[in-house]
Amino acid sequence: MKKSLYRLLLFCVLPLFFIGYAVYLTGKNTDDFYKRFSSPQQNSLILGSSRAASMNPEIIDRVIRQKYPEAQLYDYAFTWAHSPYGPKYLESIEKKLKPDMKAGVFIVTVEPTAVMVAKKSPDNPEYYIENDKSVAKTSQVAINPNFEYLLESFDFSITKELNKKIIPEKNKMAEVSVLDNGQLYGKMLKRFSPEVRKTVNKGKMAELKNRFNGLKISPTRLKYLARTIDFLKKHGKVVIVRMPISKTAYAIENTVVPDFDKMINDISRAQKVQYINYNMIPNQYKWIDEVHLEPISMDQFSGQIGKDLLKLK
């Protein structure tokens, strides 16, 4: 009888231990968004798409600490398809933010795709691209472990990180992870040659143009951007930022949406917050693919945002 109980216990405990360890590794190492939904509620946020996902909260915090001592920024930016401005992103932001925070700092990054919808669909949240993605589907955004996210939105096997420990990946171009402050941190292991990179980036710009061909500006998303800013203002200082991209990418965006800055300026004036378009300021930044800043340039840019936050009234 005892042997049978021991065997039963063994067969029950070992699988649970295996799954628990796999979940632990996923939470610690995953390059997906799990950490964003399993970390605690935050008091200051960086918002937007993948362009802002690797912004460095640690650098910004260090620069602004004297003026904003209570602020501790957390990067809650995802991708243009996961977190365009709309009801689902706003709901997630409201849940991620500590309700009693009054002295936070909020960096709201914008780009045309953040306020656009599919041309062939009505401008109605019911049809929005993000509805079947993790930001919209994850109802609990500050719980660890977050089984809801792992079961509904994690695109890999739950044992992915454990498998990588057993059989290491080969020929990786980069190591990517989400840090405790939400920053998507990438360490480059290999680089394309300048010739290959030029060809790859040309293809990326073709993809960008093609994406714009299927999109149109959404008055509803613009309203939700304003609502998001209005909500955040109750909890601290808000600044709207258009991140710097290459001249090639910026020209594409301005050709497709020539009055984008006017739209954002109208919102910033109505909400009485500052809007900074960093493409209008000369810089020496470098990009991985014309729109995402390389790590060193992102650190420099994060420092610049911090300095500009100190100038805000």
Side-chain angles (χ1 to χ4, degrees):
M1 181 69 176
K2 284 186 178 180
K3 287 184 178 180
S4 298
L5 287 173
Y6 285 140
R7 289 195 187 105
L8 180 62
L9 190 62
L10 187 66
F11 282 111
C12 288
V13 171
L14 281 181
L16 288 173
F17 176 80
F18 180 84
I19 292 171
Y21 185 57
V23 171
Y24 166 76
L25 286 177
T26 297
K28 189 174 182 181
N29 300 315
T30 180
D31 56 1
D32 208 78
F33 302 136
Y34 179 74
K35 268 195 174 181
R36 303 260 179 83
F37 299 117
S38 59
S39 59
Q41 286 183 309
Q42 304 294 322
N43 66 31
S44 299
L45 299 171
I46 297 167
L47 303 173
S49 73
S50 59
R51 297 182 189 181
S54 58
M55 201 180 291
N56 194 322
E58 183 180 356
I59 290 176
I60 302 172
D61 286 344
R62 190 162 59 240
V63 174
I64 69 174
R65 187 167 291 129
Q66 187 173 0
K67 185 174 182 179
Y68 303 100
E70 294 183 51
Q72 187 171 357
L73 279 156
Y74 187 87
D75 201 319
Y76 205 57
F78 296 85
T79 75
W80 76 274
H82 284 77
S83 52
Y85 294 102
K88 295 300 182 182
Y89 195 22
L90 177 54
E91 287 172 17
S92 192
I93 292 166
E94 290 170 341
K95 292 175 182 176
K96 195 65 181 178
L97 186 61
K98 289 180 179 178
D100 57 347
M101 185 58 180
K102 302 298 180 186
V105 170
F106 305 96
I107 300 171
V108 179
T109 69
V110 294
E111 63 199 70
T113 52
V115 290
M116 299 180 83
V117 294
K119 280 182 180 178
K120 295 181 180 179
S121 299
D123 184 11
N124 184 319
E126 181 182 347
Y127 300 95
Y128 283 177
I129 189 173
E130 66 267 30
N131 290 345
D132 64 346
K133 295 176 177 58
S134 58
V135 175
K137 291 165 62 178
T138 308
S139 62
Q140 299 182 78
V141 301
I143 184 171
N144 188 19
N146 194 327
F147 289 107
E148 178 189 26
Y149 175 84
L150 291 174
L151 293 173
E152 294 189 2
S153 299
F154 192 57
D155 292 333
F156 307 97
S157 165
I158 202 170
T159 61
K160 176 194 172 198
E161 293 300 323
L162 185 57
N163 294 340
K164 282 162 60 177
K165 273 190 168 295
I166 298 169
I167 307 175
E169 294 179 77
K170 296 179 180 179
N171 300 317
K172 290 194 298 183
M173 293 293 294
E175 288 181 347
V176 182
S177 60
V178 175
L179 304 184
D180 289 343
N181 58 16
Q183 179 189 5
L184 189 68
Y185 176 76
K187 180 181 179 182
M188 301 298 295
L189 302 177
K190 296 181 181 179
R191 291 183 179 272
F192 291 125
S193 67
E195 295 77 16
V196 172
R197 172 50 67 191
K198 185 176 180 180
T199 301
V200 170
N201 284 0
K202 187 176 180 180
K204 292 288 185 183
M205 292 302 93
E207 288 177 14
L208 183 63
K209 287 181 181 179
N210 187 58
R211 182 185 303 161
F212 277 126
N213 287 337
L215 297 173
K216 63 184 178 184
I217 283 291
S218 162
T220 303
R221 285 204 189 279
L222 287 166
K223 288 177 183 176
Y224 270 100
L225 171 59
R227 288 186 191 179
T228 300
I229 294 166
D230 190 56
F231 165 73
L232 294 172
K233 280 172 21 182
K234 300 169 187 173
H235 298 276
K237 177 65 66 176
V238 180
V239 60
I240 310 174
V241 168
R242 187 174 183 180
M243 292 186 64
I245 55 178
S246 75
K247 291 180 180 179
T248 301
Y250 190 56
I252 292 172
E253 289 190 346
N254 284 344
T255 299
V256 176
V257 192
D259 53 350
F260 180 73
D261 270 354
K262 181 183 181 305
M263 297 175 191
I264 303 303
N265 272 314
D266 287 346
I267 291 173
S268 71
R269 281 194 292 269
Q271 292 295 327
K272 297 180 181 178
V273 299
Q274 187 167 342
Y275 169 47
I276 307 173
N277 180 355
Y278 282 95
N279 294 281
M280 303 300 290
I281 303 170
N283 66 73
Q284 298 297 319
Y285 299 135
K286 295 181 180 179
W287 295 267
I288 297 170
D289 57 359
E290 309 286 16
V291 297
H292 296 92
L293 287 166
E294 288 195 351
I296 292 175
S297 287
M298 181 59 89
D299 286 350
Q300 293 169 345
F301 176 64
S302 298
Q304 185 60 54
I305 284 188
K307 292 175 185 176
D308 291 333
L309 280 165
L310 293 177
K311 299 174 186 176
L312 298 183
K313 295 180 181 179

